[in-house]
């Protein structure tokens, strides 16, 4: 992508409305724009990051055996009357009428709809286990939307729903998502700690929130500090192994970890003082096992091996991609801007032409840009006629992991500089060496 032809409306000044660093940097880097309170557009740079986050979420959901579909944002109130949640869900639900005066709503979550899909076509235990997910916009009319897309009214959620014949099988499904979440957050460059959680309006028996430690987090959390160094389940984790997944779950729940709603002061005080971590955190994922809470009222049942009908045991599993993007920034930035983990960076490399219009600089940059593109890299080429200082500041602000800098003096020697955004380390090398480093 040539910056001269891109749309990346960066800001020099700090926007006044932004209270936390991620919100400030997302606005300054031109990633998002507020359209009305708690409702955002994702501008091209932000959209690139969001897409990369979603791609990782999707890969790990698929690896764990979940199947993607897409359900609509608008739902009929009838389904929610069946489950009893139409009245129970308060003002957070945006209720709408269509032209025939039929009550509709903008989905805050999809348990009812997915249960309806399930009951209409699954009739036998032989079709279980089943886990269906989508990545879709949700709407919750939050009292205090704030911190940009961290807590917005319209936001994106990956929500998965599992269906099983028995509660034991449902626990295995829960453990699959538990392990998939550990892997997902790790690949996003985050350390998320599963904490026992309240089941809230979704209801149910077993629930964990995945929390990232951050000073600006809205939750107060308490945990054993060893969680920070625990191993993440590997790429070859066998998601069909009941015992293997139970062992992962047992390990990751073996030490104290709870949010303030579930906090047990006495249990926490039993942790040796030097191992106690009491901090603030951001909830980036939440998983629930709720048994037959929806399948019973909505009549979602299958025939078991005993020939009888059984209400299915369900769980639901949410991750917030539009919250994860600012959460990643909270965890990874410096005074100059964002520092993206390579896995979600909007571009892999930015090529900075320090003197656009200078034949040697232009030729060198074009050569590098073409070679890296050909190798399948996402490259941003700053070919604008801005001053070098402005270009450096922009490159640092948007946080692309690698900068290749071509200035007239180095280029005259057949060289460029390669800068690592995270460490700030700069290395001078030949043009060929710079290309080979990233093309290998
Ligand atoms: P919170 O406690 O932060 O209000 P929640 O418990 O109501 O969130 P869940 O129903 O558990 O949210 O939703 C699953 C995930 O969706 C959350 O873990 C979070 O990542 C994301 N999410 C929920 N509400 C919002 C929001 N208003 N803005 C952005 N992401 C959200
Ligand atoms: Mg939650």
């Amino acid at each position: 992508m040539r910056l001269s032809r891109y749309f990346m409306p960066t800001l020099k000044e700090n926007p006044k409305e932004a209270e936390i660093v991620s919100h400030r940097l997302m606005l300054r880097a031109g990633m998002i724009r507020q359209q009305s309170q708690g409702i955002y557009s994702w501008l091209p740079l932000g959209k690139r990051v969001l897409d990369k986050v979603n791609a990782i979420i999707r890969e790990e959901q698929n690896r764990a055996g979940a199947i993607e579909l897409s359900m609509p944002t608008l739902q009929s109130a009838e389904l929610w009357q069946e489950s009893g949640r139409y009245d129970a869900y308060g003002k957070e639900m945006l209720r709408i009428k269509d032209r025939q005066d039929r009550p509709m709503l903008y989905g805050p979550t999809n348990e009812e709809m997915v249960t309806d899909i399930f009951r209409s076509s699954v009739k036998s235990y032989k079709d279980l286990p089943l886990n269906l997910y989508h990545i879709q916009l949700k709407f919750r009319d939050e009292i205090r939307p704030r911190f940009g897309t961290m807590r917005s009214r319209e936001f994106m959620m990956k929500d998965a729903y599992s269906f099983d014949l028995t509660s034991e099988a449902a626990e295995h499904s829960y453990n699959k998502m538990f392990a998939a979440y550990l892997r997902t957050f790790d690949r996003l460059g985050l350390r998320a700690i599963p904490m026992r959680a309240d089941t809230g309006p979704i209801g149910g028996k077993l629930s964990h929130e995945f929390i990232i430690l951050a000073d600006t987090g809205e939750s107060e959390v308490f945990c054993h500090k060893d969680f920070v160094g625990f191993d993440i389940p590997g790429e070859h984790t066998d998601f069909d192994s009941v015992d293997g997944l139970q062992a992962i779950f047992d390990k990751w729940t073996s030490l104290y970890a709870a949010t303030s709603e579930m906090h047990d002061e006495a249990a926490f005080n039993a942790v040796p003082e030097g191992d106690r971590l009491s901090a603030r955190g951001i909830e980036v994922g939440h998983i629930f096992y709720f048994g037959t809470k929806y399948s019973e009222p909505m009549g979602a049942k299958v025939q078991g091996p005993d020939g009888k009908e059984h209400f299915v045991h369900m769980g639901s599993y949410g991750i917030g991609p539009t919250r994860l993007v600012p959460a990643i920034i909270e965890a990874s930035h410096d005074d100059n801007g964002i520092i993206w983990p390579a896995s979600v960076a909007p571009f892999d490399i930015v090529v900075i032409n320090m003197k656009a219009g200078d034949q040697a600089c232009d030729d060198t940059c074009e050569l590098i840009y073409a070679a890296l593109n050909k190798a399948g890299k996402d490259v941003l080429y700053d070919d604008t006629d801005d001053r070098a200082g402005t270009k450096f500041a922009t490159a640092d602000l948007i946080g692309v992991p690698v900068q290749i800098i071509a200035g007239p003096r180095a280029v005259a020697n057949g060289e460029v500089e390669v800068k690592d955004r995270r460490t700030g380390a700069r290395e001078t090398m030949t043009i060929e060496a710079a290309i080979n480093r990233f093309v290998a």
Side-chain angles (χ1 to χ4, degrees), residues 140 142 149-152 155 157 202 283-286 288 318-320 322-323:
R140 294 182 187 173
E142 302 267 357
T149 66
M150 188 77 89
R151 177 172 299 284
S152 50
F155 60 96
M157 202 198 287
I202 300 205
E283 179 200 320
V284 289
H286 197 166
F288 302 85
I319 291 184
T322 48
R323 176 177 290 179

Side-chain angles (χ1 to χ4, degrees), residues 69-71 112-122 132:
L69 46 53
S70 180
M71 294 179 268
E112 283 78 358
M113 186 170 279
V114 78
T115 304
D116 177 60
I117 292 173
F118 179 90
R119 72 180 171 188
S120 69
S121 41
V122 182
L132 299 173

